Amino acid sequence: MAKIHVTTTINGEPVEFLCEPQQTMLDVLRDELRLTGSKEGCATGDCGACSVTVGDRLVCSCLMLGAEAEGQEIETIEGMADGDTLHPLQQKFLEEAALQCGICTPGVLIAAKALLAKNPDPSESEVRYWLAGNLCRCTGYDKIIRAVMDCAADMRGA
Amino acid sequence: MNALTYESPGSLDEAVKLLAAAKGNAKVLAGGTDLLVQLRMGMIKPAMIIDIKKIPELTAINEENGGYRVGASVSGAVLGEHDGMKAAWPGVVEAFELIGSTQIQGRASMGGNLCNGSPAADAVPAMIAADAVCTIAGPNGRREAKVEDIVTGPGQTSLANGEIVVDFLFPARPARSGDAYLRFIPRTEMDIAVVGAGISLTLDDAGVCTDARVALGAVAPTQLLLQDGAAALIGSKLDGAAMEKLDAAARAACRPITDKRGTIEYRIKVAGVLARRAAKIAQQRAEG
Amino acid sequence: MTVESKKYKWVGTSPVRPDGNDKVTGRAKFGADLMLPGMLTGKVLRSPHAHANIKSIDTSKAEALPGVKAVITSADVAELESEWVPAGELQLNFRDLAHNIMANGKALYDGHAVAAVAATSAAIADAALDLIKVDYEVLPHVIDVEEAMEADAPVLHADMFTDGVTPKPTKASNIFKEVDIAVGDVEAGFAKADLVVERSFKTAPVHQAYLEPHAAVASFSEDGQAELWCCTQGHFVVRAYCAKLLGMDIADLRVTASEIGGGFGGKTTVYLEPVALMLSRKAGKPVRAVMTRDEVFRASGPTSGAASWVKVGVTNDGTIVAGEAILKYQAGAFAGSPIQPGCMCAFAPYDIENVKVKGYDVVTNRSKVAAYRAPGAPISEHAVESVIDEIAKKLGMDPIELREKNAAREGTNAAYGPKFGVIGFADTLAAAKAHPHYSAPLGPNQGRGVASGFWFNIGGSSSATVNVNEDGTLALATGSPDIGGSRASMAIMAAETLGIEVTDVRPIVADTASLGYTFLTGGSRVTFATGMAVIEASKKIALELRERAAKTWDISVDAVIWEDGLAKPAGANAGDFEPLTLADLAAKANQTGGPISSAASLNAEGAGPGFGTHICDVEVDPETGAVKVLRYTAVQDCGQAIHKAYVEGQIQGGAAQGIGWALNEEYIYDEKGRLDNASFLDYRIPVASDLPMIDTVIVEVANPTHPYGVRGVGEVPIIPPMATVANAIDSAIGIRLTELPMSPPRVLAALDNGS
């Protein structure tokens, strides 16, 4: 079983890795690159805990092969903070208690960041539908939705 | 253990050659949102995966004689940002965008949605209602086929060994035309359609329907194109009587099953409801 | 202890959680995130049959596969005596636990573990599972609880003779036990009633559906000591269970709780943990085992599905004169459903003279149930709260006023035994009635529902240690895994007790070797019980600090007070000294007696019962049966809220789970008894777009037995939603739905049938 050599960019850094053809990007991130911030909640694209961006697109890394990363630019939760400064969404989630157990949080944050990049002024309904693929079982979503909207307002004002 | 290989050809010819040579042991990877789940669950054990996203014509959207040619690998997210398609075929775009989450939209393709052969595929009834034609490339060159002729049963298609769907042509349409797609799911997102209804129609200046296509999903082994449904609309102003006829035609056409997503009775009843509701939205869009 | 009445500095505020940064950056390590050098991958082979004799298992081909380092079956699991031990609100039998982690002779449900392998890669482990040959003799199965109770039902356990029946039956059945609760004389009560309503209900098993699958990393040493890392609600409990299952001394097993990605009761028992340990012991290498989502649904506990019957009698003025219920709870494949708390809670919110409840604990060919938020209570209270609503409608009484008229208050004898102390049920009803939501206008096809809920809340064993660092900051350790922000509440209580900055307290969850026994996170006990240990340990620190100051000033300790984070002379007579800060005292610790630390271990008693009242507006699509939740308000008496935002979060999360239970969640089986919806695609938990904001009203009726008045919060909010939604649907369409989930096909069928 020949491994595939992949050259890609992850969180702005050039990365090379070897993967098996059937390994998903999530497997590669977690098991090969030890970037365990992306979580496996289902492995079938139904929970969003493994969300990453590939180029300007939000995807489930469990539904992408590692081999497909060739030449792409991938961002994971590990790249969201800027040095020792948290991204405004990360900060807002902390301030507004928008997480409980925290397992869905990386995926939610990546998804919310992708939303605000496209739509800096989303309605509550737009946030809810955008994040419908990010399951959270702890919060009832209330504080997550509020934190995203409050952060969007802050970022528009800044 | 199977020795899976991964190929990402840069041209259609190359992809077709690989696919044909694999003699049924290769799977085409576009968005992967169905394929990788099947792979993970052990439902399929291919020897080769052929990633077709590096083939330029499969990811392009081009205007053509007033209509649009959409590559089979174009993702929902990309199509949803295409102003031309949104204006021309809003029902097709909305159907495609209903598939899965934002994350799924980042990858899922219309070609995959069709070729996966699911009776519940959301994009397919809308494409059938739109009278879309797909281009198919294979070992013997290219051919065209109507979308309704592709799926032959659950997980089954009429594609021959080595054939790949290249693109879909959504034709130019007369003024005062509109289309719509509605589906029913138990939640508001993240479910597979229990029933889907796609309708495309054209009105004359007096508001009388002159042409219509009505398609249903998830109520039979394949998507259904309803001649009776179209007949119910054509010649009417989509008044109450026409709506009742459409509702009855939709219910009569259903041959559903009871499964974890819905019962026979439920699917039949809701098919009529969604057909009516989709027709009304298409009418509003046609009236501009 | 008395409730401290002074204004708090930290209690009731919402500081940023101390572990928050790691959770928003992906740094936090959950169950599956630990990797050890040389670690093997463990995987489990599971029965595809609902009920089958295992005639033989041939593992030879799997063992011969290069890369396979260990294979285990029930032959590797020691047989244990049938022995029941308390497990929180539930009971646990060690023999059943052993048989659940690895089927012994018989597979009892689809997903039941029959073998496990450890291999050098996941792909090899998968291949090895394919090579294990199991010879099954498929047996008739039974899924439905009432069918399982029939005389000719397939019997799961040949040695199950119903408990609680005299004389004890001689024929084996699927009814493990019967439970009876009776107060007064229900027949006499019903004779006095002007109106009697009785209804039958069915509820589907629902899964806790935590986002993080079960995961464990085990590492056995040659000398018989082992370490285990796992996502659990109680690592001390895991240690006890695993030591028992592996025949180890407790001292030889050290368990570290990883961060935990949700539990809701479902991570209070063991599945993979002992299996990973057994594989590691056999392979001589560390083993990591992680469930797939499919395995989580098929093999880990949902809560019971149930069939219930409730009868309530009232006089025309709305006084409830009698309540009766029959409750049949599925336990899954092994005995031990939450029938006891279900029976106890059924009528607990009300002051009723005559109550009779009969419960059945019934085994079926489904995965063994596990605790799920207020185990047992949502099922029985859904039935009772639905009937109460129907009575209110028939009497033409406001449903909140009907509840107020009958509400349990301080001094009420609860039907399940004790006399209530200070409780806040009436306060939640008053707050709900006064809430603007309750009087807001409704549109067409819309309806409003109200329902209440009760949960005991529990105490139990907890430990805490406090270490004063050299600079005066504090290291605070407890043994309670933090599911929803409890580190923050622990830090608040320590800071409040010591009068210091909350950011000067660094709370951690310590492993089982590092502090005293701590029972699991569950039953709404952590902020109450572990909080008491934290307060106790902090008070010991305050005393120690006074002693150190006394030594520094060379005065009596009685002449030193600890106030606002400072040691001060108690008064002018004590002497004229500059107050000493924690940092001052810490810096001089070596001159005054050495490091400053404390530990507290206690068994917290006097948990304060919790009540909640919810209001929900729905809109029903009359053509599709779809129910949309338009507005939701949850009122709850939490005692004193420690971290306000996380208390709100518990209420919101519980309400959302209850809405899922009400509308779409269910276990669906095919005709062969296999679970047909073992994925998040078809096991439909609410997604963000399904829900409105969930408004919360925290009523604070302090629990007099806790220094800060804590009752607990996590369980109550899942109890009212099912009836609240059902009552709202009834208000919208005039039809009482009695079967959960109230999914669109069921609602549409009810609309079509007009009943």
Side-chain angles (χ1 to χ4, degrees):
Chain A
M1 192 153 49
K3 288 199 173 189
I4 301 165
H5 178 257
V6 177
T7 305
T8 186
T9 303
I10 298 179
N11 300 327
E13 300 289 334
V15 172
E16 289 179 59
F17 60 83
L18 293 175
C19 69
E20 288 167 7
Q22 76 275 14
Q23 266 186 306
T24 65
M25 191 65 214
L26 179 61
D27 293 338
V28 169
L29 288 171
R30 291 180 54 83
D31 296 339
E32 308 299 328
L33 305 174
R34 305 285 163 108
L35 294 170
T36 55
S38 303
K39 304 300 179 188
E40 180 179 305
C42 69
T44 48
D46 298 313
C47 81
C50 66
S51 295
V52 301
T53 52
V54 178
D56 60 349
R57 296 297 170 198
L58 179 68
V59 306
C60 287
S61 58
C62 73
L63 290 186
M64 169 183 174
L65 292 176
E68 293 181 79
E70 178 69 36
Q72 300 281 6
E73 297 211 3
I74 292 166
E75 292 215 8
T76 72
I77 186 65
E78 286 88 351
M80 194 159 169
D82 179 12
D84 61 1
T85 307
L86 293 178
H87 184 277
L89 275 163
Q90 293 173 310
Q91 189 61 38
K92 191 61 83 180
F93 269 51
L94 290 180
E95 288 165 7
E96 299 194 2
L99 61 144
Q100 284 180 33
C101 79
I103 194 90
C104 73
T105 310
V108 171
L109 285 167
I110 288 287
K113 186 184 171 196
L115 167 65
L116 299 190
K118 276 177 100 63
N119 181 357
D121 190 9
S123 66
E124 181 190 331
S125 180
E126 285 170 333
V127 178
R128 287 188 180 277
Y129 276 89
W130 184 275
L131 294 179
N134 291 90
L135 299 183
C136 169
R137 191 61 159 171
C138 292
T139 65
Y141 303 104
D142 184 300
K143 291 185 191 300
I144 292 174
I145 306 299
R146 288 181 201 275
V148 172
M149 296 188 69
D150 290 348
C151 185
D154 287 356
M155 288 169 75
R156 289 194 305 276
Chain B
M1 271 170 286
N2 64 328
L4 180 71
T5 57
Y6 167 87
E7 300 289 345
S8 54
S11 76
L12 199 51
D13 282 351
E14 207 184 325
V16 167
K17 269 182 203 146
L18 285 165
L19 191 58
K23 297 195 189 332
N25 281 326
K27 285 282 177 186
V28 172
L29 168 66
T33 54
D34 288 313
L35 185 75
L36 294 197
V37 176
Q38 291 161 6
L39 199 64
R40 162 92 187 191
M41 295 301 196
M43 291 156 67
I44 53 167
K45 295 198 170 168
M48 181 187 288
I49 284 177
I50 303 169
D51 182 354
I52 54 172
K53 288 190 295 296
K54 296 209 171 113
I55 304 169
E57 63 184 303
L58 267 72
T59 54
I61 306 176
N62 292 307
E63 197 168 346
E64 193 172 304
N65 301 326
Y68 289 92
R69 191 173 287 280
V70 179
S73 296
V74 169
S75 70
V78 169
L79 191 74
E81 289 165 6
H82 194 275
D83 292 336
M85 265 302 283
K86 278 199 292 188
W89 291 99
V92 171
V93 176
E94 77 192 350
F96 192 18
E97 287 194 298
L98 280 175
I99 300 167
S101 59
T102 317
Q103 286 85 341
I104 300 292
Q105 284 291 305
R107 301 259 300 168
S109 70
M110 272 201 279
N113 197 232
L114 177 64
C115 296
N116 187 47
S118 165
D122 282 306
V124 180
M127 288 198 283
I128 292 173
D131 206 6
V133 172
C134 53
T135 309
I136 298 161
N140 302 321
R142 294 189 177 217
R143 67 181 177 100
E144 290 191 337
K146 292 206 168 218
V147 169
E148 59 262 37
D149 294 332
I150 301 299
V151 180
T152 55
Q156 306 293 320
T157 69
S158 58
L159 296 179
N161 184 36
E163 285 192 324
I164 296 173
V165 173
V166 179
D167 58 35
F168 299 95
L169 180 66
F170 296 92
R173 56 203 317 204
R176 291 176 65 76
S177 295
D179 70 331
Y181 174 79
L182 289 176
R183 68 160 182 200
F184 185 83
I185 54 173
R187 292 180 289 191
T188 52
E189 270 284 3
M190 302 305 291
D191 288 330
I192 304 291
V194 177
V195 179
I199 291 191
S200 173
L201 50 77
T202 302
L203 307 176
D204 67 13
D205 289 342
V208 175
C209 177
T210 58
D211 192 14
R213 284 172 68 88
V214 176
L216 295 178
V219 291
T222 67
Q223 285 76 17
L224 301 175
L225 178 62
L226 271 56
Q227 305 302 343
D228 289 354
L233 298 176
I234 293 169
S236 83
K237 288 188 171 179
L238 276 63
D239 51 17
M243 288 296 99
E244 267 178 44
K245 270 162 86 183
L246 174 64
D247 190 318
R251 283 185 279 120
C254 292
R255 287 173 282 128
I257 55 168
T258 289
D259 67 6
K260 60 193 168 189
R261 291 168 188 151
T263 60
I264 290 172
E265 302 74 34
Y266 187 78
R267 287 190 155 111
I268 290 174
K269 179 147 192 198
V270 172
V273 173
L274 293 193
R276 277 191 277 115
R277 291 180 179 180
K280 282 293 180 189
I281 297 169
Q283 180 188 32
Q284 281 167 16
R285 286 175 178 164
E287 286 167 347
Chain C
M1 273 181 270
T2 54
V3 177
E4 295 175 20
S5 57
K6 68 172 181 179
K7 183 128 177 57
Y8 296 123
K9 183 177 183 190
W10 298 111
V11 166
T13 64
S14 300
V16 166
R17 64 197 282 167
D19 56 317
N21 198 97
D22 284 358
K23 291 201 168 128
V24 298
T25 55
R27 206 177 272 118
K29 289 272 176 276
F30 288 83
D33 295 342
L34 181 70
M35 283 159 221
L36 298 178
M39 185 175 80
L40 305 174
T41 298
K43 295 215 178 199
V44 177
L45 183 69
R46 297 183 183 278
S47 168
H49 304 295
H51 196 191
N53 282 326
I54 299 170
K55 292 163 75 180
S56 65
I57 305 179
D58 181 356
T59 59
S60 57
K61 282 187 179 160
E63 280 159 3
L65 186 69
V68 172
K69 301 297 177 190
V71 181
I72 61 166
T73 66
S74 66
D76 299 88
V77 183
E79 188 64 0
L80 297 173
E81 291 293 306
S82 177
E83 175 194 356
W84 288 93
V85 295
E89 309 93 333
L90 306 179
Q91 297 263 312
L92 179 108
N93 185 308
F94 278 125
R95 187 191 60 179
D96 290 349
L97 185 64
H99 292 180
N100 193 37
I101 62 149
M102 202 54 69
N104 185 305
K106 224 178 170 193
L108 291 164
Y109 55 93
D110 167 36
H112 199 167
V114 295
V117 303
T120 50
S121 77
I124 294 171
D126 279 328
L129 292 186
D130 287 343
L131 292 172
I132 296 174
K133 199 168 167 329
V134 185
D135 188 7
Y136 292 104
E137 178 197 2
V138 177
L139 301 169
H141 67 273
V142 62
I143 298 293
D144 180 77
V145 63
E146 290 186 298
E147 285 172 20
M149 293 171 73
E150 285 169 12
D152 59 348
V155 170
L156 275 71
H157 303 281
D159 60 349
M160 186 172 283
F161 304 96
T162 312
D163 275 352
V165 180
T166 11
K168 203 166 173 71
T170 52
K171 182 172 180 275
S173 77
N174 294 320
I175 304 171
F176 170 66
K177 73 171 174 186
E178 295 186 8
V179 175
D180 291 286
I181 289 175
V183 181
D185 178 348
V186 283
E187 293 314 317
F190 284 122
K192 277 191 274 182
D194 297 312
L195 171 69
V196 175
V197 171
E198 58 181 293
R199 285 275 185 191
S200 293
F201 298 86
K202 279 213 130 181
T203 67
V206 290
H207 199 275
Q208 298 82 350
Y210 28 82
L211 264 286
E212 181 200 28
H214 296 267
V217 182
S219 182
F220 239 94
S221 302
E222 290 75 1
D223 63 0
Q225 296 190 66
E227 292 193 33
L228 179 67
W229 159 278
C230 58
C231 51
T232 174
Q233 289 174 244
H235 43 313
F236 287 87
V237 170
V238 168
R239 182 181 64 168
Y241 294 176
C242 288
K244 183 91 180 172
L245 290 166
L246 279 100
M248 301 170 70
D249 287 343
I250 283 178
D252 283 340
L253 179 57
R254 178 173 171 181
V255 184
T256 303
S258 70
E259 294 302 327
I260 172 171
F264 317 109
K267 290 176 181 164
T268 55
T269 185
V270 294
Y271 301 103
L272 290 177
E273 296 84 354
V275 173
L277 281 165
M278 288 171 195
L279 287 169
S280 176
R281 181 163 65 181
K282 202 162 180 177
K285 290 192 168 194
V287 172
R288 180 175 66 175
V290 182
M291 279 195 196
T292 62
R293 180 53 53 184
D294 173 84
E295 288 179 290
V296 171
F297 279 119
R298 285 167 68 211
S300 72
T303 191
S304 303
S308 317
W309 169 86
V310 166
K311 181 176 173 184
V312 175
V314 287
T315 52
N316 280 331
D317 67 348
T319 305
I320 301 176
V321 289
E324 189 177 357
I326 299 173
L327 307 169
K328 302 161 185 172
Y329 281 22
Q330 289 161 357
F334 298 97
S337 76
I339 186 66
Q340 189 81 38
C343 290
M344 292 163 79
C345 289
F347 292 103
Y350 302 106
D351 184 358
I352 312 174
E353 237 173 277
N354 308 295
V355 172
K356 188 174 160 190
V357 182
K358 182 160 196 69
Y360 298 89
D361 186 12
V362 183
V363 294
T364 56
N365 293 113
R366 304 169 176 258
S367 51
K368 167 77 173 76
V369 302
Y372 182 22
R373 261 190 153 128
I379 297 167
S380 60
E381 296 191 54
H382 157 249
V384 171
E385 289 296 298
S386 294
V387 169
I388 298 278
D389 189 68
E390 190 168 346
I391 286 172
K393 282 170 177 152
K394 286 194 165 143
L395 289 176
M397 242 180 123
D398 176 275
I400 293 183
E401 281 170 18
L402 176 63
R403 287 178 173 84
E404 283 180 319
K405 190 165 181 68
N406 295 283
R409 291 162 201 273
E410 185 176 0
T412 298
N413 279 310
Y416 65 87
K419 185 180 283 226
F420 282 122
V422 179
I423 54 172
F425 183 29
D427 304 74
T428 70
L429 291 166
K433 198 160 67 173
H435 196 281
H437 181 176
Y438 196 56
S439 50
L442 289 166
N445 298 318
Q446 296 179 1
R448 176 166 302 139
V450 177
S452 298
F454 156 83
W455 181 249
F456 318 92
N457 296 326
I458 62 170
S461 300
S462 283
S463 300
T465 65
V466 179
N467 289 307
V468 177
N469 299 321
E470 304 92 295
D471 61 357
T473 58
L474 296 193
L476 168 64
T478 73
S480 293
D482 178 357
I483 306 195
S486 60
R487 286 186 191 86
S489 1
M490 297 307 136
I492 286 174
M493 285 184 276
E496 188 74 52
T497 306
L498 286 164
I500 58 176
E501 295 299 306
V502 74
T503 46
D504 284 343
V505 183
R506 283 287 156 208
I508 63 154
V509 180
D511 66 66
T512 54
S514 302
L515 81 173
Y517 182 88
T518 300
F519 186 56
L520 51 79
T521 296
S524 292
R525 65 173 291 279
V526 169
T527 312
F528 173 72
T530 305
M532 278 166 82
V534 167
I535 294 163
E536 188 60 31
S538 301
K539 284 184 171 167
K540 285 185 184 173
I541 290 290
L543 175 61
E544 181 72 26
L545 291 167
R546 283 168 54 212
E547 284 172 355
R548 301 301 177 100
K551 214 173 243 181
T552 308
W553 293 330
D554 199 18
I555 59 175
S556 156
V557 68
D558 297 333
V560 181
I561 57 164
W562 184 261
E563 192 178 69
D564 297 330
L566 296 169
K568 299 175 186 170
N573 291 343
D576 184 16
F577 304 105
E578 275 296 301
L580 293 170
T581 64
L582 234 172
D584 297 335
L585 292 162
K588 290 182 187 147
N590 277 341
Q591 288 86 58
T592 56
I596 303 168
S597 67
S598 73
S601 288
L602 48 79
N603 182 11
E605 291 178 354
F611 292 85
T613 299
H614 292 192
I615 313 168
C616 172
D617 295 352
V618 299
E619 183 170 316
V620 180
D621 182 333
E623 290 192 311
T624 65
V627 175
K628 184 174 171 56
V629 178
L630 301 171
R631 185 170 181 183
Y632 204 96
T633 302
V635 184
Q636 188 174 329
D637 171 22
C638 305
Q640 172 68 49
I642 299 297
H643 188 292
K644 189 162 176 290
Y646 285 113
V647 168
E648 292 168 354
Q650 286 291 315
I651 297 173
Q652 291 164 334
Q657 286 182 317
I659 292 169
W661 196 337
L663 291 178
N664 277 311
E665 293 182 32
E666 62 181 318
Y667 264 41
I668 302 170
Y669 288 85
D670 68 15
E671 72 282 0
K672 290 185 172 164
R674 290 176 306 209
L675 186 61
D676 197 24
N677 63 331
S679 71
F680 276 133
L681 182 62
D682 288 304
Y683 184 88
R684 304 182 185 100
I685 73 169
V687 303
S689 48
D690 290 340
L691 297 174
M693 292 299 184
I694 294 169
D695 288 336
T696 57
V697 178
I698 303 171
V699 173
E700 294 180 317
V701 178
N703 172 13
T705 57
H706 186 276
Y708 297 124
V710 168
R711 288 180 187 273
V713 56
E715 322 286 305
V716 171
I718 202 172
I719 300 167
M722 287 69 82
T724 306
V725 174
N727 298 345
I729 292 172
D730 180 69
S731 298
I733 63 174
I735 298 172
R736 167 72 44 195
L737 288 161
T738 56
E739 192 167 346
L740 301 183
M742 296 175 285
S743 57
R746 207 164 264 155
V747 174
L748 193 63
L751 280 162
D752 288 348
N753 298 334
S755 66

